[in-house]
Amino acid sequence: MEQRITSVYIISPQTKAILLKERSYFRSIILEGNMQRRSLHKPEQIINNSCLLYGSTLDGRRKAVKRILKSSSKLPVPIIPEKGVYMLPTASIKNKSCVWLAYHHLDTYEKYQDQTYIKFFDGNDLLINISHNVFDMQYKRTSQLIVHMNRGFLFDQRSFRNRYFKF
């Protein structure tokens, strides 16, 4: 896997995962395609910078998601909602073992001892320190957010009303 160091990284549809790695010369490892990038910024900074570029802040996105999901912890973040790019955390943002995963790159996941084995659509994989049940809940919460944010597109409201409610 090719490796590159980047000072500023913006999440794109090719971003698969962002991991915190506190080293003297970099803070994050980013999985993108078959490449591994290293960034001087922490995952939270990368996500905030990406949200800013796409029209909001991490705090603004989190407030909206909090209202939608009626929850306040381990919230998924819509980075580029119009392109289907949503990142889900495996733990609290402040937790050093938190990994941010791009929902649209996840193919399968399964239990492996006390952890979860993730397989991406491109065949690459990742073992993360999260129980299968907790990851399953995070995956489903992100699915719920995606459906909520795309309800008008997925379910044409006019045809839904006309079909079930005769006035």
Side-chain angles (χ1 to χ4, degrees):
M1 184 175 278
E2 185 182 343
Q3 296 185 9
R4 292 184 183 169
I5 295 181
T6 182
S7 59
V8 177
Y9 180 81
I10 300 298
I11 295 169
S12 74
Q14 290 72 40
T15 307
K16 293 188 296 190
I18 304 172
L19 300 85
L20 175 67
K21 293 291 180 186
E22 292 282 354
R23 301 290 188 263
S24 59
Y25 55 97
F26 66 92
R27 301 281 179 262
S28 299
I29 292 180
I30 302 139
L31 304 181
E32 182 183 84
N34 286 323
M35 199 175 342
Q36 193 178 86
R37 294 182 180 270
R38 295 175 181 183
S39 174
L40 303 175
H41 296 102
K42 292 181 178 183
E44 187 175 351
Q45 292 168 302
I46 293 169
I47 291 168
N48 188 51
N49 289 340
S50 298
C51 288
L52 284 169
L53 182 69
Y54 295 114
S56 186
T57 62
L58 175 56
D59 189 50
R61 300 273 198 210
R62 288 176 49 80
K63 283 179 183 174
V65 171
K66 185 177 181 178
R67 245 182 279 139
I68 292 167
L69 295 180
K70 296 173 181 51
S71 177
S72 60
S73 65
K74 295 187 277 187
L75 297 172
V77 176
I79 305 293
I80 321 170
E82 61 276 6
K83 290 190 176 182
V85 179
Y86 293 77
M87 300 295 287
L88 64 112
T90 60
S92 164
I93 288 179
K94 303 298 179 198
N95 188 321
K96 290 188 183 279
S97 68
C98 181
V99 175
W100 287 88
L101 298 164
Y103 179 90
H104 66 285
H105 280 287
L106 302 176
D107 184 15
T108 60
Y109 55 95
E110 58 190 57
K111 181 178 179 173
Y112 181 79
Q113 297 173 357
D114 293 342
Q115 298 175 312
T116 302
Y117 174 75
I118 306 288
K119 187 155 188 165
F120 297 105
F121 280 110
D122 68 2
N124 288 319
D125 54 25
L126 188 62
L127 186 62
I128 55 174
N129 190 22
I130 184 175
S131 76
H132 182 269
N133 290 340
V134 172
F135 183 79
D136 187 58
M137 183 181 75
Q138 286 299 99
Y139 185 83
K140 289 174 180 170
R141 284 169 29 126
T142 307
S143 300
Q144 181 183 2
L145 174 64
I146 293 168
V147 168
H148 179 87
M149 292 186 75
N150 292 282
R151 185 169 303 282
F153 173 74
L154 295 171
F155 312 106
D156 179 19
Q157 295 299 316
R158 287 172 290 136
S159 66
F160 177 80
R161 281 194 303 267
N162 292 341
R163 175 185 261 167
Y164 295 104
F165 301 103
K166 304 291 183 193
F167 295 101

